[in-house]
Amino acid sequence: MPPKQAAAKSNVSAEELLGHYREMLLIRRFEEKAGQLYGMGLIGGFCHLYIGQEAVVVGLEAAAGEGDKRVTSYRDHGHMLACGMDPKGIMAELTGREGGFSKGKGGSMHMFSKEKHFYGGHGIVGAQVPLGAGLAFSDKYKGNDRVTFAYFGDGAANQGQVYETYNMAQLWDLPVIFVIENNGYAMGTSVVRSTKSPSLWERGAAYGIKGEEVDGMNVLAVKEAGERAVAHCRSGKGPYILEVKTYRYRGHSMSDPAKYRTRDEVQKMRDERDPIEQVRDMLLTGKHATDDDLKAIDKEIKAIVNDAAEFSKESPEPHLDELWTDIYATEIPQEA
Ligand SMILES: Cc1ncc(C[n+]2csc(CCOP(=O)(O)OP(=O)(O)O)c2C)c(N)n1
Ligand SMILES: [Mg+2]
């Protein structure tokens, strides 16, 4: 939907819109900075940016409650920022430093926060899906009403383990929301080249799982669908599928020949559907904020990101002794 139409339909508060704006902008600016640091050789290994997909995770985090869990793939910086993990610790992990969330030993794809109930960060396509069902199983076993968000891509949606998980999750009524972030591509393969299914969420019907398709460029639509999914899971009705239609502006990872789509396709998406611009437009046309208010937020976000970048350069590299720590779990945590 063009931004103007979305603005006309919206009756949300200024506070809520400003919150979404701020959080999406933090992800965008953080990722841009990560891209720069990568270019400068300060980040090594794999690095997958989330630029363009910000509304997905910000909308769903707005629907989540205290103690809910999340697990995702390697395209994970946005998820970490949206659930409140410290940008400094994320950036320092990207640069492989001691102050990183995995003490500099995990990198972009392998960060965790028990405090924020963030369970990674996984490099094996689709592997986080059964892990998500396992997290939901633990909550059901404990008898609380927490839900788990298990995020995966359109490419991962063709993995066999996803369907084994659907079956068990529905069989055991597990409180897990399967979030398919359909950004149209799995590396260089467009979704129309990898499947003839017109929609990915409808595959859940084979297992009796309810779900829906969501406009992933519109943070309000994502939040609303997230609330339906959360209510379904929390009331004990079992899993739910959200196929969130989104788009990534950057390459799959930092090395991407970009030959599988045209520049025009990317530009058109940026011009017409950008999630941050949509909210910006709602804020301005609804007179919830002035240009100056938004400039002040931009400045504040830039400072947070610059501080994170500074920290990620100043934090020391891990000591060599750290090679031999955190390899095996030596005790089983009682509370997850
Ligand atoms: C089991 C496995 N197979 C292949 C790969 C290589 N690989 C990494 S990302 C990726 C594409 C996944 O695309 P999608 O699920 O759509 O997620 P997106 O990158 O678009 O977020 C592939 C094939 C891998 N990491 N793991
Ligand atoms: Mg994809």
Side-chain angles (χ1 to χ4, degrees):
M1 186 186 298
K4 288 268 156 30
Q5 267 170 276
K9 273 191 74 178
S10 131
N11 55 359
V12 291
S13 71
E15 194 189 355
E16 183 181 336
L17 284 175
L18 284 166
H20 295 326
Y21 182 76
R22 189 187 301 271
E23 285 174 29
M24 290 196 289
L25 200 64
L26 173 65
I27 298 174
R28 175 92 33 116
R29 297 286 174 259
F30 181 97
E31 293 291 65
E32 286 167 354
K33 182 61 80 180
Q36 281 170 17
L37 297 188
Y38 198 98
M40 291 160 70
L42 285 161
I43 297 174
F46 287 106
C47 183
H48 308 81
L49 302 181
Y50 196 64
I51 297 177
Q53 300 185 209
E54 298 90 347
V56 182
V57 82
V58 169
L60 291 178
E61 282 295 334
E66 188 52 41
D68 289 341
K69 300 182 167 78
R70 59 281 287 161
V71 64
T72 189
S73 71
Y74 42 83
R75 200 176 299 288
D76 55 0
H77 316 154
H79 301 71
M80 294 186 266
L81 291 165
C83 74
M85 287 167 66
D86 183 359
K88 288 185 180 161
I90 305 170
M91 201 67 98
E93 190 56 45
L94 295 182
T95 54
R97 306 300 174 97
E98 207 176 78
F101 270 100
S102 298
K103 300 187 203 165
K105 299 188 286 183
S108 164
M109 307 195 285
H110 308 108
M111 283 181 245
F112 310 87
S113 167
K114 213 171 144 183
E115 186 201 345
K116 302 290 180 192
H117 311 283
F118 178 77
Y119 289 84
H122 296 273
I124 306 299
V125 169
Q128 73 276 21
V129 182
L131 293 178
L135 291 166
F137 179 83
S138 82
D139 282 324
K140 184 161 171 110
Y141 184 77
K142 287 177 190 156
N144 62 37
D145 69 349
R146 297 298 96 206
V147 309
T148 295
F149 293 82
Y151 293 87
F152 55 104
D154 45 286
N158 288 325
Q159 283 275 353
Q161 59 187 321
V162 170
Y163 299 94
E164 293 182 44
T165 305
Y166 279 4
N167 186 50
M168 283 181 120
Q170 178 71 352
L171 181 67
W172 292 340
D173 295 325
L174 300 183
V176 53
I177 301 169
F178 297 111
V179 184
I180 307 170
E181 293 199 58
N182 184 350
N183 60 12
Y185 296 94
M187 297 183 88
T189 306
S190 107
V191 73
V192 294
R193 286 177 58 220
S194 63
T195 180
K196 275 200 170 176
S197 315
S199 79
L200 301 173
W201 73 268
E202 281 180 319
R203 295 177 185 180
Y207 305 86
I209 306 178
K210 291 206 165 77
E212 59 185 282
E213 182 182 307
V214 191
D215 175 1
M217 304 306 272
N218 180 341
V219 71
L220 299 178
V222 177
K223 183 189 169 209
E224 212 180 289
E227 285 169 346
R228 273 191 294 279
V230 166
H232 178 94
C233 288
R234 258 205 242 299
S235 64
K237 292 186 186 146
Y240 199 89
I241 301 173
L242 294 175
E243 179 181 352
V244 192
K245 292 287 194 67
T246 180
Y247 198 78
R248 74 166 152 72
Y249 297 170
R250 295 289 184 94
H252 166 74
S253 65
M254 302 311 288
S255 55
D256 181 333
K259 290 197 174 138
Y260 50 88
R261 60 182 180 182
T262 61
R263 277 168 181 246
D264 287 351
E265 180 186 304
V266 182
Q267 198 54 47
K268 193 169 156 54
M269 202 52 119
R270 277 181 178 273
D271 292 344
E272 296 176 9
R273 309 277 316 283
D274 187 77
I276 300 177
E277 283 303 315
Q278 288 196 45
V279 173
R280 190 186 156 81
D281 200 67
M282 284 182 222
L283 282 163
L284 293 174
T285 53
K287 304 220 182 306
H288 295 306
T290 64
D291 239 339
D292 283 347
D293 295 335
L294 299 184
K295 269 188 197 138
I297 294 177
D298 287 10
K299 209 172 148 193
E300 198 187 304
I301 299 290
K302 239 180 217 153
I304 295 171
V305 169
N306 285 341
D307 284 353
E310 271 321 297
F311 179 78
S312 80
K313 292 177 200 164
E314 282 162 12
S315 177
E317 292 194 344
H319 193 274
L320 272 185
D321 291 349
E322 286 287 347
L323 272 175
W324 310 107
T325 62
D326 307 319
I327 297 168
Y328 299 109
T330 50
E331 54 184 66
I332 298 170
Q334 292 307 305
E335 260 310 307

